[in-house]
Amino acid sequence: MKIGCPKEIKPQEFRVGITPNAAHEAVLHGHEVLIETGAGMGSGFADADYVAAGAKIAASAEAVFAAAEMIVKVKEPQPAERARLRQGQVLFTYLHLAPDPAQTADLLKSGATCIAYETVTDRMGGLPLLAPMSEVAGRLAPQVGAWTLQKANGGRGVLLGGVPGVAPAKVVVIGGGVVGTHAARVAAGMGADVTVLDRSLPRLRYLDDVFGRDFKTAYASAGNIADLIVEADMVIGAVLVPGAAAPKLISRAQLKTMKPGSALVDVAIDQGGCFETSHATTHQDPIYEVDGVLHYCVANMPGAVARTSTLALGNATLPFMLALADKGWKQACADDAHLLAGLNVHAGKLTYAAVGEALGLPFITPQAALAM
């Protein structure tokens, strides 16, 4: 199979979909790998690294899209990229379609087969291609939140860990999954007073058993959220409904109950955000203020640490990429129900229920797509 990897064009996105090691593995499997020139530079990989791995270098994104049978990326395709997709081509990347009707419409129109990293599952009910980026984003969240709280950025001027004689910042993490756990660990490690909220009692028991001395836990009821944000210096939104739009857990009216200069860090922004006042920002212009509360809502947080993120993502995606290339998407998905769960669009049909429900669009099952 001809596998293509274009350079990411979303603002301040420095990751790359295929590492030289992944390219080498694909070549060993008998596939042709085409990398757009400069695609790996943001992650510290030169064109020469890909050539040494057996890949070929393309002069432009147009050349990659025109030649490749499967496109492997990191971020959702931008409008110019969506226009290059064609019938029968496979797209393997993050999509986050539920809050993005324009992208969904374009992918349906393209006729391509689109498999989303974020909805591929595993035997334990996890999301193996989302997990590494969730780990990165979770660990980054307290770091960027601490920066947001600095007075020069409009924040409260609070040091996360405090100092002797001065109390540390209070951090509330909403969601105790992968993002929330990593965010809480880092915030607690920085010396903050951390509380994690979740609706799963087994998850809360796990967090309490493993991290009981590091941070507190609470049930994520509307009342508890409302009470805790009043005293919080930072709130990290770390909720996830796989493939669906994130629920709105803090309303605009509630911002008035929060401390002026406090910070909201919305790690769920790729799925539309979990605060009513959230909208996507970029690394170039990451924060904005609403009713005295600062919002950090960068939609590609892991792109800030591109090399770490690229290596972590490449480790996770490689087995699935090889399966798709070795067998073709239909056979690979027929053989692996967890990979089939990643199918979101095929031949003009939406194949993921949560996206259809979020956007009010008709959908078919992925099993029906296999039979087409």
Side-chain angles (χ1 to χ4, degrees):
M1 178 180 283
K2 292 183 179 180
I3 305 170
C5 178
K7 184 177 181 178
E8 298 293 326
I9 59 173
K10 189 164 186 173
Q12 292 84 53
E13 181 50 71
F14 305 109
R15 291 171 289 179
V16 62
I18 297 178
T19 65
N21 280 344
H24 182 60
E25 292 279 350
V27 170
L28 289 178
H29 279 239
H31 305 296
E32 181 180 329
V33 179
L34 192 63
I35 308 289
E36 182 183 353
T37 184
M41 291 301 292
S43 297
F45 301 120
D47 287 354
D49 297 324
Y50 288 101
V51 173
K56 297 178 180 178
I57 303 300
S60 66
E62 290 86 348
V64 172
F65 277 87
E69 298 166 86
M70 177 167 66
I71 297 292
V72 180
K73 282 178 37 63
V74 178
K75 291 304 292 179
E76 70 280 358
Q78 301 302 291
E81 295 173 313
R82 302 197 294 261
R84 297 183 183 121
L85 292 168
R86 64 179 185 273
Q87 182 98 19
Q89 198 169 40
V90 176
L91 173 66
F92 191 37
T93 189
Y94 288 116
L95 293 176
H96 300 293
L97 294 178
D100 196 343
Q103 183 195 176
T104 304
D106 286 348
L107 295 184
L108 290 170
K109 182 180 178 181
S110 75
T113 297
C114 306
I115 300 171
Y117 293 162
E118 73 273 10
T119 63
V120 173
T121 59
D122 63 23
R123 294 175 183 174
M124 296 174 287
L127 301 170
L129 304 190
L130 188 61
M133 295 304 93
S134 296
E135 292 164 352
V136 171
R139 293 184 179 211
L140 273 175
Q143 180 176 316
V144 299
W147 176 80
T148 302
L149 282 173
Q150 292 177 20
K151 196 64 180 178
N153 298 317
R156 282 176 49 74
V158 174
L159 181 65
L160 220 58
V163 293
V166 180
K170 292 188 176 181
V171 176
V172 174
V173 180
I174 307 177
V178 176
V179 170
T181 300
H182 283 264
R185 285 179 61 190
V186 170
M190 295 171 76
D193 177 352
V194 182
T195 302
V196 179
L197 299 104
D198 201 276
R199 285 186 174 271
S200 167
L201 291 177
R203 185 64 182 176
L204 290 176
R205 292 189 186 101
Y206 167 81
L207 293 173
D208 193 62
D209 287 344
V210 176
F211 303 106
R213 292 179 179 271
D214 298 328
F215 52 78
K216 302 183 285 288
T217 60
Y219 187 75
S221 65
N224 276 342
I225 292 173
D227 290 342
L228 285 167
I229 65 173
V230 172
E231 297 299 323
D233 297 290
M234 183 195 307
V235 179
I236 297 173
V239 297
L240 174 69
V241 180
K248 307 301 182 189
L249 302 177
I250 295 179
S251 68
R252 178 160 190 172
Q254 287 178 302
L255 296 187
K256 293 180 173 61
T257 71
M258 298 180 65
K259 298 174 182 177
S262 57
L264 297 178
V265 180
D266 197 339
V267 188
I269 194 65
D270 272 334
Q271 295 295 118
C274 60
F275 310 131
E276 183 184 354
T277 45
S278 292
H279 64 74
T281 60
T282 67
H283 291 291
Q284 187 173 9
D285 189 15
I287 59 177
Y288 61 93
E289 177 265 329
V290 178
D291 295 339
V293 176
L294 298 182
H295 294 56
Y296 184 100
C297 302
V298 173
N300 60 331
M301 284 177 62
V305 287
R307 187 168 181 89
T308 297
S309 297
T310 291
L311 290 168
L313 181 61
N315 292 340
T317 58
L318 177 59
F320 296 98
M321 182 186 79
L322 291 178
L324 290 166
D326 290 347
K327 302 177 180 180
W329 82 267
K330 271 198 172 184
Q331 191 59 54
C333 288
D335 290 348
D336 185 351
H338 301 296
L339 181 56
L340 180 60
L343 186 65
N344 278 215
V345 173
H346 172 62
K349 303 289 186 182
L350 193 60
T351 59
Y352 200 80
V355 174
E357 291 163 1
L359 297 179
L361 295 174
F363 57 89
I364 62 173
T365 65
Q367 291 78 12
L370 280 181
M372 289 174 62

